[in-house]
Amino acid sequence: KPIELATVRIFRAEDNKLLESRITRKDGHYGLLLEPGEYKIEVDAKGYEFPARDGTYKGEAFRVHKPLILALDIPLDPEENN
């Protein structure tokens, strides 16, 4: 399900420098314009954990070959109460 008010952070992969942050909208969407390069993403949302156990994106570096608007769906797991 879409998660609003999640923080999506994009880092340059080579040195983990934070490049940009976005807050997801009510529909859970966000958009980031990326130039060619290698990046990593982290997501924070209250009551959820990143990366998701069964998610397709686990925080690994990925390469962008031409400018694009990133709008990747990134699954999160609900936090487990101990």
Side-chain angles (χ1 to χ4, degrees), residues 1-62:
K1 82 174 188 175
I3 301 169
E4 71 175 300
L5 302 178
T7 303
V8 179
R9 292 183 184 91
I10 186 85
F11 296 87
R12 187 169 48 211
E14 67 181 296
D15 59 6
N16 283 329
K17 180 181 179 186
L18 176 64
L19 299 175
E20 255 189 275
S21 294
R22 289 285 187 270
I23 304 296
T24 59
R25 300 183 303 257
K26 192 170 190 166
D27 61 5
H29 292 133
Y30 66 96
L32 290 163
L33 176 61
L34 297 180
E35 297 296 327
E38 197 164 330
Y39 301 94
K40 292 182 181 179
I41 297 174
E42 290 181 5
V43 182
D44 291 315
K46 185 175 181 170
Y48 292 90
E49 295 179 352
F50 170 81
R53 287 183 295 278
D54 296 326
T56 55
Y57 181 72
K58 304 240 182 244
E60 67 275 6
F62 62 93

